[in-house]
Amino acid sequence: MEQKYHILVVDDEPEIADLVGVYLSSEGYTVTKCLTAGQALEAAEGESFDLAILDVMLPDLSGFTLCARLREKYPFPILMLTAKTSDMDKINGLTIGADDYMTKPFNPLELAARVKAQLRRYTRYNGGERKDSADEVDVAGLVMNKGTHRCWLYEEEISLTPIEFDILWTLCAHKGQVISAEQLFEQVWGEKYLERNNTVMVHIRRIREKLGDTDRGEGRIIKTVWGVGYRIG
């Protein structure tokens, strides 16, 4: 592995934290383990992380609250772990800025694969690709640069997670075309879209909030074509 990625693992069950740490270490990652949200926030202040794995049930703050606190300062991918399986719990995590979600018990090999996929996406937008004019789009005041993973709306920079950037870039790159939730999911996540999957809808809502684009759910920038999908321009 060319780069030594640093992963933050937060779980109040030492056995789970140790298990995750063993598998990630075997993949060549450096792992810092924390048992509480307070320890995690302190670690984030003092160290540089490339990805965080957060348990939802923590003794001091919930994993959702910790995710929101981290997202205020750090753009790295966040993956949530929880024993809860309801759609609402998943939506809560995605809405406050998580990039992925796994329920316990989980397959450590699948977790490692998801970590690898998130890191690949994240580093692709932080110096991993050649930067040229083809990496930039400008759609009605919304400017995105794929090479630097930066986005501006009317010259004000907007902070996006890697997943949010991927979704918005895909819509901008297909200006004027309607892109279905299924197409967005399969292109951005690289996985088969499953029926009744609300993941794209939740991320679109989050992006609209960041853009101030919440006019009665229709959006001034991201248009909803009911029953079909989304478009920009």
Side-chain angles (χ1 to χ4, degrees):
M1 184 174 294
E2 294 182 0
Q3 181 174 344
K4 193 78 168 180
Y5 295 111
H6 195 173
I7 312 296
L8 173 65
V9 176
V10 188
D11 198 306
D12 65 337
E13 298 182 66
E15 299 84 0
I16 299 294
D18 289 342
L19 175 66
V20 173
V22 166
Y23 273 86
L24 294 181
S25 295
S26 70
E27 292 289 333
Y29 303 123
T30 298
V31 178
T32 293
K33 294 175 286 186
C34 297
L35 300 179
T36 68
Q39 292 175 3
L41 291 170
E42 185 176 346
E45 288 288 340
E47 302 182 60
S48 178
F49 293 104
D50 299 293
L51 182 142
I53 299 173
L54 314 179
D55 183 30
V56 168
M57 303 299 291
L58 296 172
D60 46 354
L61 297 175
S62 76
F64 294 139
T65 301
L66 174 58
C67 177
R69 294 274 294 275
L70 289 173
R71 188 54 75 217
E72 289 174 359
K73 293 184 177 181
Y74 310 106
F76 53 67
I78 296 175
L79 190 152
M80 306 295 295
L81 291 179
T82 181
K84 298 182 179 181
T85 58
S86 75
D87 287 341
M88 187 53 65
D89 290 316
K90 181 173 182 178
I91 289 172
N92 284 340
L94 297 175
T95 300
I96 49 86
D99 296 283
D100 203 354
Y101 187 100
M102 289 190 70
T103 55
K104 297 178 179 179
F106 56 87
N107 184 328
L109 293 176
E110 181 183 355
L111 176 64
R114 292 199 185 192
V115 166
K116 186 176 296 184
Q118 290 294 336
L119 287 171
R120 185 165 56 245
R121 178 181 292 113
Y122 178 59
T123 54
R124 191 167 71 231
Y125 294 130
N126 288 271
E129 288 188 339
R130 182 176 58 88
K131 304 171 181 61
D132 56 35
S133 58
D135 285 338
E136 189 162 291
V137 294
D138 186 344
V139 182
L142 179 66
V143 177
M144 303 187 72
N145 189 295
K146 192 173 183 179
T148 60
H149 190 216
R150 299 178 71 184
C151 173
W152 299 265
L153 179 62
Y154 304 124
E155 299 185 358
E156 179 180 348
E157 186 160 5
I158 307 297
S159 177
L160 299 173
T161 68
I163 288 285
E164 291 166 354
F165 189 94
D166 268 9
I167 291 172
L168 194 55
W169 174 270
T170 300
L171 291 172
C172 286
H174 296 84
K175 176 184 175 182
Q177 301 177 36
V178 180
I179 308 295
S180 69
E182 178 178 351
Q183 290 173 311
L184 279 171
F185 186 87
E186 293 185 355
Q187 180 158 338
V188 172
W189 277 266
E191 300 175 8
K192 185 68 177 175
Y193 181 84
L194 300 178
E195 194 174 353
R196 299 184 62 187
N197 188 329
N198 294 322
T199 303
V200 171
M201 179 188 70
V202 172
H203 279 88
I204 290 287
R205 183 189 308 156
R206 177 75 174 178
I207 294 167
R208 280 175 165 160
E209 289 175 355
K210 291 187 175 184
L211 297 177
D213 190 33
T214 55
D215 184 17
R216 299 180 63 84
E218 289 284 349
R220 293 170 290 104
I221 299 172
I222 302 176
K223 305 292 185 182
T224 299
V225 181
W226 296 108
V228 183
Y230 306 94
R231 68 175 173 84
I232 287 181

